[in-house]
Amino acid sequence: MNNNRPIGIFDSGVGGITVFKEIRKHLPYENIIYFGDTKHNPYGSKSKETVTRLSTGNVQFLLGKNVKYVVVACNTASALSLPLLKTFYSVPMIGVVDTGAKAALAATENGKIGVIGTRATIESRAYLKALLKLNKSLKIKSLACPLFVPLVEEGWAKTKVAELTAFEYLKAFKEFKADTLVLGCTHYPFLKPVIRRILKTTRLIDSATETAKAVKQELAANSMLRENKNKAAAAFYVTDATARFQKIANSFLGYDIGKVRLVEVE
Ligand code: DGL
């Protein structure tokens, strides 16, 4: 295998930039192709069939860019579609659910874990199953927080509105006495400061960081790391609204990602 081939990352939109940022940090020499399906966003309110159909198109697109590895950055797609995608394709793939679950298990001391995500992710029970598979005596409380994604996309992650919304959602975890909370959605790391103010002592599990570490480990273990140590490149493709994607991504990353290309994907 040619190790200089890029890593492909896909998400339903711009949220996966949280995963991109961590992968860039942990794997600075890897070329990356990021694909955001902004035209069909959000995935979090769609059915398993639709998310799987869209995800298949996303993987096809990345394979067309000759990627050596696929990162399903979207929690909803990881929860609903990854097991099936893995049966369709031989390219190695990783999602964010299993890595988040493993990190939560490592972090908890009292065995009480909270999970937040989109409606589709929570209804799929994917995190619940992944956690119980690791340790069946864990106590888990899951909650869909559908208002979080629009708040982040509006650039309101640090406002009073975000704080009030987070308070309403998260009080359930205080009562439950979860010592660990899985941020099971690409957008939730943006809300970390607000969540920390409410759940002061709860450990927050960011699947983005855990996934990046797992990608690095897997590439190294399979001798798939890029040998060339020159500066790596990143290219960004979306299916709609390039300027909006670029604005949010630039603001989150703190630098200009450059040209974002518009593509049609079936
Ligand atoms: N990327 C999605 C996720 O992580 C959030 C946005 C959406 O609903 O598409 O679940």
Side-chain angles (χ1 to χ4, degrees):
M1 174 179 302
N2 172 5
N3 291 347
N4 288 325
R5 290 158 65 204
I7 294 174
I9 303 176
F10 85 79
D11 179 45
S12 56
V14 72
I17 281 294
T18 53
V19 179
F20 168 85
K21 184 179 184 182
E22 292 300 319
I23 290 185
R24 179 41 83 237
K25 190 165 116 195
H26 287 84
L27 291 159
Y29 303 119
E30 294 296 328
N31 292 317
I32 300 176
I33 305 280
Y34 182 99
F35 175 80
D37 189 12
T38 43
K39 185 173 176 178
H40 301 108
N41 183 277
Y43 281 12
S45 52
K46 291 189 169 61
S47 69
K48 180 174 176 168
E49 291 67 32
T50 302
V51 173
T52 304
R53 184 173 49 77
L54 295 169
S55 299
T56 307
N58 302 345
V59 175
Q60 263 332 119
F61 173 81
L62 290 173
L63 291 178
K65 296 284 168 203
N66 199 23
V67 299
K68 63 181 173 188
Y69 193 88
V70 171
V71 181
V72 182
C74 179
N75 283 259
T76 305
S78 297
L80 274 62
S81 314
L82 183 61
L84 210 57
L85 290 177
K86 280 187 170 169
T87 68
F88 295 163
Y89 299 103
S90 57
V91 65
M93 279 189 212
I94 193 170
V96 286
V97 172
D98 285 342
T99 49
K102 272 186 210 141
L105 179 71
T108 186
E109 280 174 14
N110 71 1
K112 290 187 167 187
I113 298 176
V115 180
I116 53 176
T118 63
R119 272 197 217 290
T121 296
I122 298 304
E123 281 169 13
S124 78
R125 299 161 67 90
Y127 272 105
L128 187 81
K129 288 182 209 153
L131 283 162
L132 291 178
K133 200 169 152 193
L134 295 172
N135 181 337
K136 58 179 184 317
S137 63
L138 290 171
K139 300 273 173 288
I140 300 151
K141 180 168 188 59
S142 310
L143 187 73
C145 303
L147 293 176
F148 278 170
V149 168
L151 278 170
V152 169
E153 298 218 338
E154 198 57 33
W156 285 10
K158 292 185 183 139
T159 63
K160 202 78 204 151
V161 186
E163 194 157 338
L164 288 172
T165 310
F167 182 79
E168 277 307 312
Y169 281 139
L170 302 177
K171 63 185 177 197
F173 296 104
K174 272 193 174 175
E175 286 156 20
F176 180 64
K177 296 195 169 46
D179 71 351
T180 304
L181 181 71
V182 180
L183 307 181
C185 173
T186 45
H187 290 57
Y188 298 177
F190 286 85
L191 290 158
K192 264 190 198 167
V194 159
I195 297 175
R196 277 219 178 91
R197 277 204 290 282
I198 297 163
L199 299 176
K200 293 192 175 61
T201 56
T202 310
R203 289 172 202 119
L204 303 184
I205 303 299
D206 180 339
S207 323
T209 315
E210 301 310 323
T211 303
K213 288 187 205 158
V215 173
K216 184 174 180 180
Q217 250 176 29
E218 217 174 302
L219 291 183
N222 293 294
S223 310
M224 287 168 72
L225 287 168
R226 181 170 173 240
E227 281 136 30
N228 190 334
K229 298 287 181 263
N230 293 337
K231 202 172 160 354
F236 297 86
Y237 297 85
V238 298
T239 45
D240 198 11
T242 51
R244 186 168 148 70
F245 177 94
Q246 193 174 18
K247 189 171 163 225
I248 302 176
N250 286 353
S251 133
F252 182 72
L253 294 171
Y255 61 85
D256 187 359
I257 60 170
K259 188 175 166 59
V260 177
R261 295 175 177 84
L262 186 66
V263 286
E264 269 300 329
V265 167
E266 280 316 305

